[in-house]
Amino acid sequence: MAARRRRLKKKTRKKLQVWGAVAAVVAVAWVAANWSTVWPVLVAVLAAAVLGSVGWVLLRAHRRAVGQDRAWRAQEEARARELFMAQVDGLTWQEFETYIAELCRRDGCTKVVVSGKSGDLGADVVGYLADGRKLVIQCKKYAPHRSVPSQDMQKFVGTARPEHGADVALFVTTCHAFTRDALGLALRQDIVALHRDLLGSWVKGAHLESLIPLNGSGGGAGRRS
């Protein structure tokens, strides 16, 4: 049975080869007989193929150049933020709270008050945004390599609105990231998580209200839905 199948496959292959050869001969004969009509079409097809190939190469080169430019700009932006943040790193925690208050005033916040003491129940800076909403800020001056733990976020969640009546609760830190649990809690409880990269943008001149919607974005963390 197997030998019979092999013979059938061999015969089929031979038939296909014969018919292929016949089709090729017929095609060549037809092209030769109609060359005056065929050659402009062939030239047009060849030209289109060449132009398409050139366009594809140019498009890839353009995309590569744009990608490299974006990467370079991102690196330069990060470098600029770090230059600004180097000054912030030199502040004491008390000076850091005062500095955050000054950033709020710069961006149009009013009645800005700095607690500057322990036992403030997470309200290191309190003020009002330009539209009248109450702003309560928790400031944590941590080393850049650290992450804000969930415990810190839990404490702020427990006081920002129940104790201080915050309309906008902002947790700002000098470290690069929040832990996954801390960030998840912030997003669920509508706490604005401002890590080092976003703080660097704020320091560099970005307006506070433009940063609030970016809650937790960048720095390896996800954007709020």
Side-chain angles (χ1 to χ4, degrees):
M1 183 66 70
R4 184 178 178 182
R5 280 200 297 268
R6 282 196 297 271
R7 286 195 299 271
L8 288 173
K9 287 182 180 179
K10 189 174 181 180
K11 288 181 179 178
T12 302
R13 233 182 355 257
K14 285 183 177 179
K15 287 181 180 179
L16 289 174
Q17 290 172 351
V18 170
W19 281 111
V22 170
V25 170
V26 171
V28 170
W30 183 87
V31 169
N34 298 274
W35 181 247
S36 60
T37 304
V38 171
W39 76 263
V41 176
L42 292 177
V43 170
V45 171
L46 181 60
V50 171
L51 289 174
S53 299
V54 171
W56 181 74
V57 170
L58 292 176
L59 179 61
R60 285 196 62 186
H62 173 70
R63 287 178 175 174
R64 189 182 304 113
V66 169
Q68 291 172 347
D69 180 68
R70 285 177 179 169
W72 177 81
R73 289 178 184 274
Q75 291 172 356
E76 289 299 307
E77 184 72 18
R79 188 176 294 112
R81 285 198 304 265
E82 281 302 312
L83 286 175
F84 281 92
M85 287 301 297
Q87 301 172 10
V88 177
D89 290 336
L91 303 175
T92 64
W93 66 266
Q94 296 96 334
E95 292 170 336
F96 178 55
E97 292 179 2
T98 301
Y99 182 70
I100 293 300
E102 289 302 320
L103 290 177
C104 292
R105 295 187 184 100
R106 183 201 72 186
D107 289 349
C109 296
T110 59
K111 300 179 182 179
V112 179
V113 177
V114 181
S115 169
K117 60 183 180 181
S118 59
D120 54 18
L121 297 178
D124 296 321
V125 178
V126 177
Y128 292 85
L129 294 171
D131 59 9
R133 288 179 295 168
K134 187 174 184 179
L135 175 67
V136 176
I137 303 177
Q138 167 80 89
C139 302
K140 287 295 183 183
K141 190 174 181 297
Y142 287 154
H145 65 274
R146 286 190 58 180
S147 296
V148 174
S150 178
Q151 294 89 332
D152 286 356
M153 189 61 70
Q154 289 174 29
K155 292 177 182 177
F156 189 49
V157 167
T159 60
R161 290 188 175 85
E163 293 291 336
H164 305 295
D167 295 309
V168 176
L170 179 66
F171 195 118
V172 58
T173 181
T174 52
C175 63
H176 276 293
F178 293 81
T179 64
R180 178 177 296 181
D181 289 341
L183 182 59
L185 180 60
L187 300 182
R188 291 194 301 275
Q189 298 298 324
D190 198 25
I191 304 295
V192 180
L194 211 69
H195 54 64
R196 186 180 182 87
D197 289 345
L198 294 178
L199 174 59
S201 295
W202 192 15
V203 171
K204 192 170 177 286
H207 197 283
L208 174 58
E209 293 197 29
S210 72
L211 296 173
I212 289 174
L214 301 179
N215 184 0
S217 66
R223 183 183 296 273
R224 181 170 62 174
S225 60

